[in-house]
Amino acid sequence: MSQSCKFSSGLELANLVVNSELLHRSWDAISDLEKRSCTHVPDLPLSVEYKECEHPGMGTIVAFACPSSVNVQQLERVGTDLVSADEIAGFFSMFDFVRTKVNPSFSVHKAAASLFSSHIHLLSLLKEKHGNSSPLIITGQSMGGSIASLFTLWLLGDIPTKATKRPLCVTFGSPLLGDRNFQNAISERPTWNSCFLHVVSPQDPIPNTFVSSYGYLSNSSISQTGYMPVGTFLFCSERDGDSACFEEPRSVVQLMLAMSSELEEEQRQKRNLQNVDYGLILERLKHYNPVRKEYSPLHQSNINPLEAETMIQLAAIGVKRLQQGNQGNHMTTSLIANVASWTEDYLTQRRNIFDPTKKLNDIKIDMTYLEWYKKVSIEQGGYYDSYKLWRWKSRDEIKSRHEIMKRKRILTRYWRGIVDEAEQMPQKEGWAFRTRGLYAGTNYRRMVEPLDIAEYYGEGKKDYLTQGRPKHYRLLEQWLNEDKQPGTGNRNSRSKACSLTEDSCFWAHVEEATLCCNALKDGQSSLKDRETSRKRLVEFEQYAMDLINNYSVSVEVFLEQSSFMQWWNGYSELIDLIGGFLCQSPLRDFMKNKRYRNYA
């Protein structure tokens, strides 16, 4: 294991949370709600009750309870089955936003999803009332925690990505909610994942119920089909009076299994009859000053800092024995290694989270090379044509050409990766990333795509727009158009020519117009093809004139050696030769009167 990840913040985060009023206020709301509920009638069907309360400085707390699901036996009565979100009436339409291209489907606890859907009228009223409340804490115990989690997720679907305030869900002894695809879809939105805090006691069998029911495998592997956790888990030991936080999903599952195996069968059966009193646990944690000397890894020289931190965290929550065999009070080596390794992977992934702005400063250097090439290419007919008709032969010119091609490849590889990542991300998060790097992506597209077009037509190909245009260019252009303010259209207030032609496919249109001219001149085209070519040339005239009127083409378009000017010379001759065109058009007037000489 590498030494890059020095430590986990699980102990510090737990200490911060435990000593805040967040958990105590949340639990008080749940306790008050359950006192008025029929919590001791085991055969009642599942129902949802709620309570709203205001706390100065903390905002609004909404607590949920399901009175008839208070222990393992009753929870198993309603079932532990996972079901696809598509199969529950009304549920899919509410949570369709959770899907991503990477995770197009997901499954959730059938009983929780059905219960949520059956109380949609009540929950819709709460959403309408508190959807814009801030701060907002949503809490619940056992199945009430499942409803709280789903309600929080429902709210998050309507919150703009750039918003800085989001609801916080706090659950106590809540069972896991969804499968691996559900967990992955939430984890793809880091801001969502951080909105869920689950308090779990090793003496509470309810959170472990769905883990054990799907038969998770050994320490080194996790089932691909069972439940997976979402959010941060605060494990708090009633017996040891200490706590620690874990976020990495596989670690959470393994810890649940480890704690479940340490509960003796008679203790577990006893817990089936009553809830764990999280209020007493919170009070003990708040007044407990951990020294953590019971197990110290400092004397072991063969472990790294993250493994040492993991040992202390596991000892804090009472995981002290091997899951198999009997080796006294020594913690299982494989559990330590797995949790530390998974935590390191998780921390590394978080550091490397996709952000299109992350490498933009490095990419700007590559763009500088192309900007230099654009300036020096004026004498060779302009940026596009000098690249397409390259005839340099000196060693320095060859070296310069190779350098430009190398920079072009680097830029294309980078932006292809950026576009692929952004496209796979959830819609709202992907949109935020797209707009953040959109300016740089647009400059790249306008600078580099003309060179790709030059290579394409230089190889004798045609129909670039429909047959040859790479996907990442199309998406960058699409996102730019989507980012424009409604109603602005293509209006442009520019009063001088742009340095880069705004339509990065301009030269492809020029090449196709040239091919149309050739088709009309050769005399071998069918009548239908000739008519099509004539129509496309008229359309190109209008297209080109619109860009010129908006100063949306660069001045190099009008260099005498440019492909555009070569097209115009051939086109003007063609008009006089074969006829069939309108006598006048704005572009012909502009070109014949050489008004382009004043275009700047």
Side-chain angles (χ1 to χ4, degrees):
M1 185 184 297
S2 71
Q3 300 291 324
S4 58
C5 295
K6 299 300 183 183
F7 64 91
S8 166
S9 60
L11 295 172
E12 290 76 9
L13 179 58
N15 186 56
L16 175 65
V17 172
V18 166
N19 285 283
S20 71
E21 290 296 315
L22 171 65
L23 300 184
H24 297 270
R25 296 296 187 185
S26 299
W27 180 254
D28 288 344
I30 295 173
S31 298
D32 291 343
L33 176 59
E34 292 186 340
K35 286 177 183 178
R36 72 185 192 193
S37 303
C38 301
T39 57
H40 302 295
V41 184
D43 294 327
L44 282 178
L46 280 178
S47 62
V48 175
E49 297 184 7
Y50 72 95
K51 175 184 178 179
E52 306 163 89
C53 53
E54 298 287 338
H55 287 281
M58 294 194 66
T60 304
I61 297 179
V62 179
F64 290 100
C66 298
S68 56
S69 62
V70 296
N71 58 42
V72 171
Q73 290 175 337
Q74 292 161 337
L75 188 59
E76 290 178 341
R77 176 171 57 83
V78 303
T80 61
D81 294 340
L82 279 165
V83 63
S84 172
D86 299 354
E87 299 178 27
I88 301 177
F91 189 83
F92 169 75
S93 60
M94 290 182 288
F95 291 94
D96 181 43
F97 64 87
V98 176
R99 295 185 197 242
T100 68
K101 291 189 177 181
V102 177
N103 294 284
S105 63
F106 61 91
S107 297
V108 293
H109 181 209
K110 182 177 181 180
S114 298
L115 183 62
F116 189 93
S117 298
S118 66
H119 289 76
I120 189 59
H121 178 68
L122 166 68
L123 296 170
S124 296
L125 293 177
L126 283 174
K127 182 183 180 185
E128 183 177 353
K129 182 177 180 180
H130 297 294
N132 295 321
S133 299
S134 181
L136 176 62
I137 300 168
I138 305 163
T139 188
Q141 182 185 16
S142 187
M143 280 285 286
S146 298
I147 300 302
S149 294
L150 288 173
F151 185 70
T152 302
L153 183 59
W154 195 24
L155 292 180
L156 289 172
D158 290 336
I159 296 177
T161 304
K162 295 181 180 180
T164 58
K165 295 182 179 180
R166 294 177 175 83
L168 174 64
C169 178
V170 180
T171 72
F172 296 86
S174 179
L176 300 183
L177 187 58
D179 67 351
R180 179 180 292 275
N181 286 342
F182 180 75
Q183 178 260 316
N184 286 337
I186 303 301
S187 296
E188 286 180 29
R189 291 98 154 178
T191 55
W192 286 13
N193 199 58
S194 63
C195 292
F196 297 90
L197 174 64
H198 308 286
V199 183
V200 175
S201 167
Q203 285 71 48
D204 187 352
I206 290 180
N208 306 333
T209 302
F210 293 0
V211 176
S212 57
S213 69
Y214 271 80
Y216 283 88
L217 308 179
S218 65
N219 286 344
S220 60
S221 61
I222 298 293
S223 168
Q224 297 292 320
T225 58
Y227 285 88
M228 286 296 286
V230 169
T232 301
F233 280 71
L234 172 66
F235 289 94
C236 48
S237 175
E238 180 180 10
R239 180 180 56 204
D240 297 274
D242 207 345
S243 59
C245 283
F246 294 85
E247 295 181 64
E248 201 285 317
R250 293 168 294 180
S251 300
V252 171
V253 169
Q254 288 293 348
L255 290 174
M256 286 183 169
L257 286 172
M259 293 186 300
S260 178
S261 67
E262 290 189 356
L263 282 175
E264 296 180 0
E265 187 63 28
E266 60 269 24
Q267 290 177 318
R268 197 177 310 157
Q269 293 297 329
K270 181 180 178 181
R271 290 302 182 188
N272 280 342
L273 303 178
Q274 58 183 340
N275 274 338
V276 171
D277 191 338
Y278 282 94
L280 293 177
I281 295 176
L282 294 177
E283 283 300 316
R284 184 174 182 183
L285 290 176
K286 189 172 183 179
H287 296 94
Y288 176 69
N289 185 20
V291 180
R292 300 182 177 123
K293 291 183 178 180
E294 182 177 348
Y295 186 87
S296 175
L298 298 179
H299 65 282
Q300 300 186 33
S301 58
N302 61 336
I303 63 173
N304 63 36
L306 187 54
E307 287 181 337
E309 184 75 12
T310 301
M311 290 181 183
I312 298 174
Q313 286 182 260
L314 297 184
I317 60 175
V319 181
K320 301 175 182 176
R321 294 192 295 265
L322 284 169
Q323 295 183 54
Q324 296 179 349
N326 181 13
Q327 298 186 21
N329 290 327
H330 294 287
M331 289 183 291
T332 170
T333 303
S334 60
L335 179 60
I336 295 168
N338 283 329
V339 172
S341 175
W342 289 333
T343 301
E344 181 175 33
D345 292 344
Y346 182 74
L347 295 173
T348 301
Q349 182 181 8
R350 288 182 61 178
R351 284 201 308 270
N352 296 332
I353 191 169
F354 167 62
D355 185 344
T357 64
K358 193 170 184 179
K359 295 182 179 179
L360 283 182
N361 286 334
D362 295 335
I363 293 300
K364 287 177 182 177
I365 297 175
D366 299 295
M367 284 291 288
T368 301
Y369 276 84
L370 269 66
E371 290 167 358
W372 165 83
Y373 173 67
K374 186 176 185 300
K375 287 182 179 180
V376 301
S377 63
I378 296 296
E379 295 179 359
Q380 286 80 37
Y383 183 60
Y384 174 79
D385 287 282
S386 67
Y387 191 85
K388 177 185 175 184
L389 305 173
W390 176 64
R391 296 292 183 270
W392 302 343
K393 296 182 180 180
S394 72
R395 179 177 299 178
D396 289 342
E397 290 172 334
I398 293 173
K399 183 178 179 181
S400 174
R401 169 81 173 194
H402 288 168
E403 185 67 27
I404 294 304
M405 294 176 70
K406 182 182 86 170
R407 301 293 174 171
K408 174 177 166 292
R409 286 194 299 269
I410 292 172
L411 287 163
T412 297
R413 186 165 56 246
Y414 171 77
W415 281 104
R416 276 181 175 167
I418 288 293
V419 170
D420 287 343
E421 289 279 0
E423 188 187 18
Q424 292 175 11
M425 293 191 71
Q427 182 177 1
K428 290 187 177 181
E429 280 68 20
W431 177 257
F433 287 131
R434 295 168 194 171
T435 55
R436 209 178 306 167
L438 195 54
Y439 176 79
T442 299
N443 277 346
Y444 153 77
R445 177 171 57 84
R446 291 171 177 171
M447 180 71 77
V448 176
E449 188 168 16
L451 304 186
D452 283 342
I453 293 170
E455 291 179 354
Y456 186 87
Y457 285 96
E459 295 171 358
K461 300 178 183 178
K462 61 180 181 178
D463 297 323
Y464 171 84
L465 291 170
T466 58
Q467 302 294 326
R469 194 181 191 196
K471 178 182 178 181
H472 71 290
Y473 287 137
R474 288 188 280 107
L475 288 176
L476 283 171
E477 182 177 10
Q478 174 186 325
W479 296 340
L480 177 66
N481 292 332
E482 290 172 352
D483 189 58
K484 292 179 180 178
Q485 293 296 323
T488 59
N490 293 322
R491 289 181 297 175
N492 200 328
S493 59
R494 186 182 290 111
S495 58
K496 59 185 299 185
C498 57
S499 59
L500 285 172
T501 299
E502 288 191 352
D503 185 358
S504 57
C505 290
F506 172 78
W507 292 107
H509 289 287
V510 172
E511 295 287 359
E512 292 298 323
T514 300
L515 291 174
C516 287
C517 286
N518 295 338
L520 291 174
K521 287 180 180 178
D522 63 17
Q524 298 180 3
S525 301
S526 66
L527 181 63
K528 181 179 179 181
D529 289 342
R530 289 169 63 84
E531 184 59 33
T532 299
S533 295
R534 185 180 287 106
K535 180 180 178 182
R536 292 179 65 181
L537 284 168
V538 172
E539 291 173 349
F540 176 70
E541 280 194 62
Q542 184 61 54
Y543 159 78
M545 197 65 225
D546 286 344
L547 292 179
I548 293 169
N549 285 335
N550 289 323
Y551 292 96
S552 296
V553 293
S554 66
V555 293
E556 68 179 31
V557 167
F558 302 110
L559 294 174
E560 289 300 323
Q561 310 97 310
S562 77
S563 291
F564 177 79
M565 294 300 290
Q566 296 300 314
W567 164 81
W568 165 249
N569 292 334
Y571 181 55
S572 59
E573 293 176 2
L574 188 64
I575 294 173
D576 298 332
L577 180 65
I578 67 174
F581 295 93
L582 295 175
C583 296
Q584 291 295 327
S585 74
L587 181 65
R588 285 175 231 173
D589 179 67
F590 180 84
M591 297 300 295
K592 286 184 176 181
N593 292 316
K594 301 187 185 303
R595 286 160 47 200
Y596 57 83
R597 292 179 177 177
N598 298 322
Y599 181 86

